[in-house]
């Protein structure tokens, strides 16, 4: 499939970077003709039988044009055409044709391999790409020196016919496709108003019209949309926040229509270990200059102390409040307790978060300060759709008669809880924590791993820390997973959860007092994976800052 970088070049009619990437280098006229014949034949053979979900008419029209070029190139190859005896205009036109056919190949690959929902959202833009290619083919045919190529009469007629057709071609946007796109947007508008579309409307749209007929097809669609948010560095239409809304609607529809249907034999494993105090999937390595030396997490409000070192405001403020008078990093005595905002670094962090698709859990971001980041905040539609999804998930979590359903529900809550404070807030408010606490005792390794990781993600939201600590026996269950969890990942995630909870000073002593907690963290520090050791050492460090825990 075409990379996003190459395909994005199709947005411009003339792309110097794309031309340099694709242009044939030092090919003889005969080699150029053979290359053109080969690539155009490949395009025709690859896509003639393809059933396009969208852009069917545009794709078929483009393929028919390339079929005519195949006949032309094969004729020139057989006749051993030599440009040294012909006009140089013909050679230049053939090189330009190479670029156009290669771009056509990229576009057809993109349309045949992208998700249905993505193609639907991009329908006008992609129609524009097809129109641009048609216009460029028409412009090229206007100057194409047919008389210099000694073509047979029938091929000449084909080229002239193609030229006339290209002149008449107009931008074509399929009305049925546009109607579907408008329906998708109407769902978004309904959720924005707090109105949930009917089951019948959702079934008609997703199952009957788009033919997304099972849970795994839904998952593929959701993952593709999420990849676009990550891969497009802010250059996305619709915006990331709007696409998040569509993801939320699709996820809700999936569970409403298909429940927890999964492929046979699928195991729900956590593929990426969570970063300490962060979300459970690491997409991008955080630059070390953006990491707080105290929390070892991405800084959201960097400040400078008197020694010139930069820390996250919350971490250094807590350090000073606990009576420390030295710089944590250098050990130098702090001349005073003043902290100065590091605005330059803060702007760089927010720009990096926006470009990398990383959530920046920040209280300081406002509409007036960082428009780029605010644009990635969830829409009301996404929030309402996710709330509706969570209500379904909680019902399944509460059903103790079906552990497989509970396992999938815990996984989905884990995934939802990694995407922002709004989700974390209403997941906890909906009553997920007691059910997740019960799954921490599960003898199913996957269920336990999902539940402890969901608990970790929920704990990132400040108000959820108290909900977790106040839930009866919940802290002890987390420590039990740390001590004797069924997987290494579950044990390490339990350590990360304890680190997150210990950010609240009054919880530090209570955590350390739970039997075997400190010993288990020490054991993980000695024997864990590199990630596990980091989880353990940061948790131990946090606990050690309480005077009563030092011994």
């Amino acid at each position: 499939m075409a990379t996003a970088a190459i395909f994005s070049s199709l947005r411009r009619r003339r792309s110097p970077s794309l031309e340099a990437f694709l242009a044939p280098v030092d090919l003889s006229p005969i080699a150029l003709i053979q290359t053109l014949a080969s690539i155009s034949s490949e395009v025709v053979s690859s896509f003639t039988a393809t059933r396009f979900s969208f852009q069917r008419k545009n794709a078929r029209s483009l393929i028919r044009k390339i079929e005519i070029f195949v006949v032309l190139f094969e004729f020139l190859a057989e006749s051993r055409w030599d440009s040294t005896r012909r006009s140089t205009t013909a050679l230049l036109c053939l090189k330009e044709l190479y670029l156009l056919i290669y771009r056509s190949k990229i576009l057809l690959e993109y349309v045949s391999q992208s998700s249905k929902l993505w193609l639907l959202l991009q329908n006008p833009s992609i129609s524009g790409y097809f129109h641009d290619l048609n216009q460029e083919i028409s412009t090229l045919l206007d100057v194409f020196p047919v008389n210099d190529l000694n073509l047979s009469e029938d091929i000449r007629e084909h080229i002239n016919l193609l030229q006339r057709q290209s002149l008449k071609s107009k931008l074509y946007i399929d009305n049925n496709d546009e109607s579907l796109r408008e329906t998708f947007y109407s769902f978004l508008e309904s959720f924005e108003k707090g109105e949930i579309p009917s089951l019948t409307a959702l079934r008609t749209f997703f199952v009957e019209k788009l033919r997304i007929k099972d849970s795994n097809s839904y998952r593929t669609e959701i993952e593709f949309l999420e990849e676009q948010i990550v891969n497009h560095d802010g250059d996305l239409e619709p915006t990331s926040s709007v696409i998040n809304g569509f993801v939320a609607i699709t996820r809700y529809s999936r569970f409403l229509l298909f429940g927890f249907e999964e492929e046979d034999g699928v195991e729900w494993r956590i593929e990426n270990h969570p970063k300490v105090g962060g979300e459970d999937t690491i997409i991008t390595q955080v630059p070390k200059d953006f990491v707080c030396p105290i929390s070892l997490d991405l800084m959201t409000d960097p400040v400078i102390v008197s020694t010139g070192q930069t820390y996250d405001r919350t971490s250094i403020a807590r350090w000073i409040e606990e009576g420390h008078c030295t710089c944590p990093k250098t050990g130098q005595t702090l001349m005073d307790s003043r902290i100065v905002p590091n605005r330059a670094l803060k702007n760089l962090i927010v720009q990096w978060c926006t470009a990398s698709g990383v959530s920046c859990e920040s209280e300081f971001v406002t509409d007036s300060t960082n428009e780029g980041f605010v644009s990635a905040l969830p829409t009301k539609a996404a929030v309402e759709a996710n709330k509706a999804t969570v209500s379904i998930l909680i019902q399944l979590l509460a059903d103790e008669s079906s552990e497989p359903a509970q396992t999938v529900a815990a996984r989905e809550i884990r995934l939802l809880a990694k995407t922002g404070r709004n989700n974390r807030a209403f997941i906890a408010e909906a009553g997920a924590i007691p059910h997740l606490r019960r799954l921490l005792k599960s003898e199913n390794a996957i269920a336990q791993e999902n539940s402890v990781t969901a608990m970790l993600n929920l704990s990132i939201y400040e108000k959820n820390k108290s909900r977790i600590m106040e839930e009866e026996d919940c802290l002890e269950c987390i420590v039990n997973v740390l001590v004797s969890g069924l997987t290494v990942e579950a044990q390490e995630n339990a350590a990360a959860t304890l680190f997150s909870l210990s950010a609240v000073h009054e919880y530090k002593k209570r955590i350390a007092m739970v039997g075997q907690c400190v010993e288990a963290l020490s054991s993980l520090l000695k024997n864990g994976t590199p990630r596990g050791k980091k989880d353990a050492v940061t948790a131990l460090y946090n606990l050690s800052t309480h005077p009563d825990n030092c011994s």
Side-chain angles (χ1 to χ4, degrees):
M1 183 173 179
T3 65
I6 295 177
F7 184 71
S8 65
S9 297
L10 292 171
R11 299 177 185 182
R12 298 178 294 275
R13 287 183 60 110
R14 295 300 302 163
S15 171
S17 60
L18 182 69
E19 184 173 351
F21 182 80
L22 300 177
V25 180
D26 296 331
L27 290 181
S28 67
I30 294 299
L32 176 60
I33 292 294
Q34 291 171 341
T35 302
L36 282 165
S38 174
I39 189 173
S40 55
S41 298
E42 179 190 345
V43 170
V44 171
S45 62
S46 297
F47 298 108
T48 297
T50 300
R51 296 184 62 181
F52 293 95
S53 300
F54 296 96
Q55 300 294 333
R56 288 176 287 271
K57 183 174 179 179
N58 284 327
R60 295 300 171 209
S61 175
L62 182 58
I63 292 169
R64 284 195 296 272
K65 288 181 174 67
I66 297 175
E67 286 175 340
I68 294 175
F69 286 127
V70 170
V71 176
L72 169 65
F73 300 143
E74 288 178 347
F75 174 84
L76 293 176
E78 291 173 2
S79 64
R80 307 293 291 176
W81 177 78
D82 186 353
S83 68
T84 58
R85 301 194 302 271
R86 312 294 177 188
S87 167
T88 56
T89 302
L91 183 60
L92 291 175
C93 287
L94 290 172
K95 287 185 177 181
E96 184 68 17
L97 262 177
Y98 177 91
L99 295 174
L100 292 177
I101 291 173
Y102 206 107
R103 288 171 60 194
S104 300
K105 178 175 181 286
I106 291 172
L107 181 54
L108 291 169
E109 284 179 343
Y110 192 86
V111 171
S112 66
Q113 298 180 24
S114 294
S115 81
K116 294 176 181 178
L117 293 176
W118 177 249
L119 291 174
L120 193 62
L121 292 173
Q122 298 296 312
N123 191 51
S125 297
I126 296 176
S127 296
Y129 302 153
F130 277 105
H131 182 62
D132 285 348
L133 278 171
N134 282 328
Q135 291 292 94
E136 292 185 60
I137 289 172
S138 176
T139 300
L140 180 64
L141 290 176
D142 283 342
V143 297
F144 196 74
V146 176
N147 297 327
D148 291 347
L149 300 178
N150 272 347
L151 300 177
S152 64
E153 191 61 32
D154 59 333
I155 294 179
R156 188 189 297 269
E157 288 179 3
H158 276 98
I159 296 297
N160 290 334
L161 176 62
L162 178 58
Q163 185 179 21
R164 291 193 297 271
Q165 290 175 342
S166 298
L167 283 171
K168 295 177 182 178
S169 67
K170 297 179 180 179
L171 174 64
Y172 176 77
I173 300 177
D174 190 286
N175 290 332
N176 291 330
D177 294 349
E178 272 302 279
S179 177
L180 286 174
R181 194 170 74 96
E182 289 169 4
T183 300
F184 204 14
Y185 269 94
S186 73
F187 294 155
L188 194 72
E189 292 170 4
S190 294
F191 276 105
E192 286 281 356
K193 298 173 183 176
E195 302 169 357
I196 299 178
S198 69
L199 184 147
T200 301
L202 292 171
R203 184 185 299 279
T204 299
F205 176 76
F206 284 102
V207 180
E208 297 177 13
K209 299 294 186 181
L210 296 184
R211 305 186 70 78
I212 303 174
K213 293 190 171 184
D214 56 63
S215 185
N216 288 289
S217 296
Y218 266 95
R219 178 184 293 184
T220 300
E221 293 287 330
I222 290 168
E223 289 176 350
F224 193 96
L225 292 180
E226 290 176 332
E227 284 175 10
Q228 304 317 301
I229 297 172
V230 174
N231 293 337
H232 290 74
D233 297 337
D235 181 18
L236 199 58
E237 180 60 37
T239 63
S240 297
S241 58
V242 173
I243 294 177
N244 274 326
F246 287 123
V247 168
I249 292 169
T250 306
R251 184 184 289 113
Y252 168 70
S253 175
R254 171 195 175 195
F255 290 118
L256 182 68
L257 297 177
F258 295 100
F260 293 88
E261 169 191 318
E262 297 284 343
E263 284 185 357
D264 293 337
V266 171
E267 288 195 354
W268 307 300
R269 300 297 297 176
I270 299 171
E271 297 177 357
N272 297 297
H273 187 69
K275 63 181 181 180
V276 175
E279 296 169 354
D280 75 304
T281 299
I282 301 173
I283 296 175
T284 309
Q285 182 67 42
V286 179
K288 64 179 183 178
D289 291 337
F290 297 170
V291 175
C292 174
I294 297 176
S295 68
L296 301 182
D297 203 1
L298 177 68
M299 289 187 280
T300 57
D301 192 3
V303 294
I304 303 171
V305 298
S306 60
T307 59
Q309 299 297 321
T310 296
Y311 302 93
D312 202 32
R313 181 185 294 275
T314 303
S315 299
I316 192 62
R318 187 180 300 119
W319 172 268
I320 294 172
E321 287 170 5
E322 290 170 352
H324 298 288
C325 58
T326 58
C327 175
K329 189 171 183 180
T330 65
Q332 295 174 279
T333 300
L334 296 173
M335 303 302 295
D336 52 57
S337 60
R338 285 187 306 160
I339 51 179
V340 179
N342 191 335
R343 299 188 186 281
L345 182 59
K346 182 176 75 173
N347 289 335
L348 289 174
I349 290 173
V350 172
Q351 290 172 19
W352 177 84
C353 286
T354 303
S356 303
V358 173
S359 174
C360 188
E361 288 291 317
S362 169
E363 296 286 348
F364 66 82
V365 178
T366 64
D367 289 341
S368 61
T369 55
N370 291 291
E371 295 179 1
F373 176 74
V374 173
S375 68
L377 295 176
T379 62
K380 186 173 186 289
V383 172
E384 293 300 322
N386 283 333
K387 282 183 178 179
T389 302
V390 167
S391 68
I392 298 175
L393 297 175
I394 297 298
Q395 292 176 26
L396 269 292
L397 269 182
D399 182 8
E400 297 184 41
S401 65
S402 177
E403 189 174 70
Q406 286 183 312
T407 301
V408 181
R411 180 198 66 194
E412 294 301 325
I413 284 178
R414 168 180 69 83
L415 295 173
L416 274 175
K418 78 177 185 178
T419 55
R421 81 160 49 94
N422 283 322
N423 288 355
R424 294 172 188 136
F426 61 66
I427 287 172
E429 290 166 2
I433 290 173
H435 302 302
L436 292 171
R437 190 248 328 145
R438 194 168 58 249
L439 276 182
L440 291 174
K441 300 178 180 179
S442 173
E443 295 182 2
N444 182 316
I446 300 171
Q448 184 187 75
E449 193 174 319
N450 277 322
S451 60
V452 73
T453 309
M455 201 75 80
L456 165 61
N457 288 343
L458 290 174
S459 73
I460 298 169
Y461 182 55
E462 205 65 27
K463 291 182 180 179
N464 286 346
K465 290 177 172 39
S466 61
R467 291 188 174 106
I468 293 170
M469 294 296 291
E470 290 167 8
E471 175 66 27
E472 184 179 357
D473 198 35
C474 191
L475 175 60
E476 288 72 19
C477 288
I478 294 170
V479 174
N480 284 340
V481 175
L482 170 67
V483 174
S484 55
L486 299 176
T487 67
V488 173
E489 289 82 1
Q491 292 177 318
E492 294 176 350
N493 291 356
T497 306
L498 294 176
F499 164 73
S500 177
L501 295 172
S502 65
V504 179
H505 184 71
E506 54 264 36
Y507 297 155
K508 294 177 181 178
K509 182 177 180 180
R510 184 177 162 191
I511 293 170
M513 293 296 291
V514 177
Q516 295 185 283
C517 176
V518 173
E519 292 84 352
L521 288 172
S522 301
S523 175
L524 189 60
L525 180 59
K526 295 176 185 176
N527 306 314
T529 65
R531 171 62 62 183
K533 291 179 179 180
K534 181 179 179 181
D535 292 336
V537 74
T538 49
L540 286 168
Y541 171 79
N542 250 14
L543 295 176
S544 72
T545 59
H546 193 290
D548 293 347
N549 288 342
C550 291
S551 61

